[in-house]
Amino acid sequence: MEKISSKLSEIKNKIEEAKNRANVNHDVTIIAVTKQVSIDRAQEAINAGLIHLGENRPEGLLAKKSELNNQAKWHYIGSLQSRKVKQVINEIDYLHSLDRISLAEEINKRAEKTINCFVQANVSGEQSKHGLKTEEVIPFIQSLGQFDKIRVVGLMTMAPNTEDQTVIRNVFKNLKNLQQEVVKLNLPYAPCHELSMGMSNDYEIAVEEGATFVRIGTALVG
Ligand SMILES: *Cc1c(COP(=O)(O)O)cnc(C)c1O
């Protein structure tokens, strides 16, 4: 396998170039998605300087965390079943998949601290994708005020599976517009400054469109 450190410097260069092309000035945080790799490979990612790791199953998260623990910040990026909330919610630093009130209720019941959440939007409208429809996002966030453990730090989406870069770019643009609408609501529990978007195949477009977190698996640790 290719060394993570060399893949990382290549990705960092591409991110810098994308920022320059689009006049983006904010930091972009790379989340190394380690769901498909071993604990040793995740350790290699940390050794290469990656701090943020992403997992999409409770088992994977807990296995990696028990070995690597406080060397990393942990992102839960998969859809989360309500009955699994208690296993993971106090083990993570960010949840990227808040998409329903029943999940918010369960989180509020189980969390021992404030949980940084991204509300997941299905901007592309693909049937197979999790997340709220675009028009549901604002009312959903407005209804979260009753849950004192939930802090909406941003919005998250996955681009559709397509070669058409214009389609992908429009999804990211729409998420950014939605994020700015949420900011304007001025809700104390929903500052919503972050945008979690972009994966191995589309992170450069996501950065151009304002991503603050990119979630990269295959191209980085695969
Ligand atoms: C697996 C996964 C990623 C990373 O995908 P790659 O194409 O391997 O970079 C990012 N986000 C989510 C939600 C994922 O499930």
Side-chain angles (χ1 to χ4, degrees):
M1 266 191 289
E2 202 185 324
K3 278 168 66 184
I4 292 174
S5 56
S6 44
K7 293 192 190 201
L8 178 60
S9 47
E10 198 179 305
I11 289 171
K12 279 183 174 168
N13 284 339
K14 289 193 168 153
I15 289 176
E16 279 315 306
E17 285 165 10
K19 285 171 69 172
N20 290 338
R21 279 195 298 275
N23 265 314
V24 166
N25 294 312
H26 58 249
D27 287 340
V28 177
T29 301
I30 299 172
I31 302 169
V33 176
T34 50
K35 67 189 185 196
Q36 283 176 327
V37 302
S38 65
I39 293 174
D40 284 351
R41 191 73 169 159
Q43 179 70 66
E44 188 192 332
I46 292 169
N47 294 347
L50 288 153
I51 296 164
H52 295 263
L53 266 51
E55 286 283 327
N56 72 341
R57 302 210 173 277
E59 302 72 34
L61 174 85
L62 297 173
K64 296 247 179 25
K65 207 187 164 192
S66 70
E67 293 289 323
L68 306 168
N69 199 8
N70 50 18
Q71 301 179 78
K73 291 206 185 293
W74 297 94
H75 295 252
Y76 195 89
I77 61 170
S79 71
L80 182 56
Q81 294 175 348
S82 295
R83 63 187 176 87
K84 304 240 166 134
V85 166
K86 64 174 182 296
Q87 276 178 269
V88 301
I89 204 67
N90 292 304
E91 306 294 333
I92 63 176
D93 298 288
Y94 296 88
L95 175 72
H96 289 247
S97 52
L98 180 57
D99 63 356
R100 56 192 193 278
I101 289 291
S102 57
L103 181 58
E105 269 164 2
E106 186 64 15
I107 291 169
N108 212 55
K109 191 159 118 193
R110 305 288 182 182
E112 287 157 10
K113 52 167 187 187
T114 305
I115 308 296
N116 293 321
C117 297
F118 289 84
V119 169
Q120 184 171 353
N122 180 5
V123 179
S124 69
E126 280 187 304
Q127 287 276 321
S128 60
K129 296 254 188 317
H130 289 273
L132 294 151
K133 292 184 194 147
T134 305
E135 66 271 21
E136 295 170 339
V137 168
I138 299 265
F140 176 73
I141 291 175
Q142 284 173 320
S143 72
L144 293 175
Q146 55 185 309
F147 304 115
D148 61 335
K149 298 286 179 17
I150 290 184
R151 181 177 172 84
V152 178
V153 297
L155 301 183
M156 177 274 210
T157 201
M158 287 170 84
N161 224 330
T162 171
E163 303 281 292
D164 189 339
Q165 304 225 333
T166 312
V167 171
I168 296 172
R169 189 177 296 280
N170 278 333
V171 165
F172 295 151
K173 272 190 205 296
N174 288 341
L175 194 73
K176 167 98 189 185
N177 288 338
L178 202 49
Q179 176 248 342
Q180 289 178 328
E181 280 184 51
V182 179
V183 169
K184 278 194 215 138
L185 297 175
N186 247 313
L187 301 169
Y189 60 89
C192 204
H193 292 306
E194 312 295 342
L195 276 175
S196 168
M197 58 191 198
M199 319 194 333
S200 291
N201 290 327
D202 53 26
Y203 69 88
E204 291 169 80
I205 305 173
V207 168
E208 287 175 9
E209 297 304 330
T212 62
F213 285 87
V214 289
R215 311 176 308 268
I216 307 182
T218 334
L220 178 58
V221 298

